[in-house]
Amino acid sequence: MPSSHAPVQSGPVLPRRPRKRFGQHFLTDPAVVERIFGALRCQATDRILEIGPGTGLLTERLCREAGTVTAIEVDRDLAASLRARLPALRVVCDDVLATELEAYLDSDGALRVVGNLPYNVATPLLGRLFDVIDRLADLHVMLQAEVADRLTANPGTKSYGRLSVTAQYHCRIERLFDVEATSFTPVPKVRSAFVRFLSRECEPCDVATLAAVLRAAFGQRRKTLGNALKSFAPDWQALGLDAGARAETLRVEDFVAIANEVAAKRSGHRERP
């Protein structure tokens, strides 16, 4: 395999027409790249999986400073350009939502994931990444600022919801810095934020039940929990929770307790003759 520190052939070149169907907004501000690398603190032994390299402004630095870099890019033209310019880079031309992320993981949990996530796939992609966060060294991504608000929101706030609970159950989250829209081409209508995720120790939970509970609880936010979760029939008294409260007032651990109580009750029902 060629050295990851092999010289690049040329700088990034923007495509003539960014493709709207891919949600393409290319990072073009070198100052933002410097801030990203200040946060990453790359080592020569790092193994990086980059999601959405685009024109490769960030990718070039990764190839110079990290050990090995694999990039997943859905746009065939951009993938071909990256292969030509960065001989040490392994480029996978694929839709990341259809990619088996587990194929890039290994037993030592040393893989680092970095990405400028397209706004149109950020939320479902984060869900997939949360499923494997305990097998990653860390996760650093550029996101729409509104999504970052939801990820880090506290109970009782307008931004707090299903994504907040899911993310905070799986991860420790740090919003590192915000990025102006003018740092991208074409310029998006929204600001962005660069966010760090680390795996966290969490209470064991039936995650499928947790996901179902959250869908129901936040599906109609004006409903009380008693009404929203009526089909799950949780034991509110045993849980020490108020069925008259609304979903946005509960903590992450409260939802975990509800999910575990519901899962245990269902399991007990299945075991009965």
Side-chain angles (χ1 to χ4, degrees):
M1 176 182 294
S3 167
S4 63
H5 302 283
V8 298
Q9 295 181 7
S10 62
V13 177
L14 289 174
R16 292 181 182 178
R17 293 182 181 179
R19 290 167 177 163
K20 291 184 178 180
R21 72 179 186 275
F22 294 147
Q24 291 175 335
H25 294 278
F26 303 114
L27 179 63
T28 53
D29 188 341
V32 174
V33 174
E34 289 299 321
R35 293 194 72 182
I36 290 172
F37 274 86
L40 290 176
R41 298 181 181 179
C42 279
Q43 304 295 317
T45 55
D46 283 348
R47 289 184 291 106
I48 304 287
L49 176 65
E50 185 184 11
I51 296 172
T55 61
L57 184 64
L58 184 64
T59 316
E60 289 188 0
R61 281 288 301 274
L62 288 169
C63 287
R64 289 200 300 267
E65 300 190 21
T68 61
V69 184
T70 298
I72 301 176
E73 173 56 57
V74 68
D75 188 313
R76 290 179 295 177
D77 294 338
L78 290 175
S81 174
L82 289 167
R83 289 191 184 102
R85 287 185 11 242
L86 302 171
L89 177 68
R90 180 191 176 197
V91 182
V92 178
C93 187
D94 197 6
D95 178 353
V96 69
L97 289 178
T99 301
E100 292 293 334
L101 295 176
E102 291 78 5
Y104 300 95
L105 305 176
D106 48 42
S107 59
D108 62 6
L111 183 70
R112 307 185 71 185
V113 176
V114 181
N116 178 16
L117 303 190
Y119 296 155
N120 58 346
V121 301
T123 300
L125 179 53
L126 283 172
R128 294 198 61 206
L129 290 166
F130 294 155
D131 288 341
V132 298
I133 190 71
D134 60 338
R135 299 171 62 189
L136 300 176
D138 53 29
L139 168 64
H140 290 80
V141 292
M142 187 80 72
L143 297 161
Q144 187 175 344
E146 184 269 336
V147 176
D149 292 341
R150 291 161 57 199
L151 288 163
T152 56
N154 293 317
T157 62
K158 184 178 180 180
S159 296
Y160 186 75
R162 176 179 161 193
L163 181 62
S164 316
V165 178
T166 303
Q168 293 170 33
Y169 171 71
H170 288 284
C171 313
R172 288 182 287 132
I173 309 167
E174 185 179 0
R175 184 173 182 156
L176 297 174
F177 56 87
D178 285 6
V179 180
E180 294 297 331
T182 51
S183 295
F184 301 87
T185 300
V187 177
K189 296 180 181 179
V190 296
R191 290 164 53 91
S192 296
F194 193 62
V195 183
R196 173 186 292 143
F197 301 84
L198 299 170
S199 178
R200 65 180 287 266
E201 292 287 336
C202 50
E203 180 182 349
C205 179
D206 184 315
V207 292
T209 302
L210 177 62
V213 166
L214 293 175
R215 280 195 299 271
F218 288 100
Q220 299 184 52
R221 294 177 70 103
R222 292 186 179 183
K223 280 190 174 183
T224 65
L225 286 166
N227 287 328
L229 301 181
K230 187 175 182 180
S231 64
F232 295 91
D235 187 336
W236 297 109
Q237 185 173 0
L239 290 165
L241 297 173
D242 179 7
R246 288 184 168 81
E248 64 267 22
T249 66
L250 265 64
R251 304 167 301 169
V252 174
E253 51 265 41
D254 295 329
F255 281 109
V256 171
I258 292 171
N260 283 341
E261 195 266 347
V262 169
K265 182 161 49 181
R266 288 179 172 178
S267 176
H269 287 168
R270 285 195 298 267
E271 290 172 1
R272 292 176 183 175

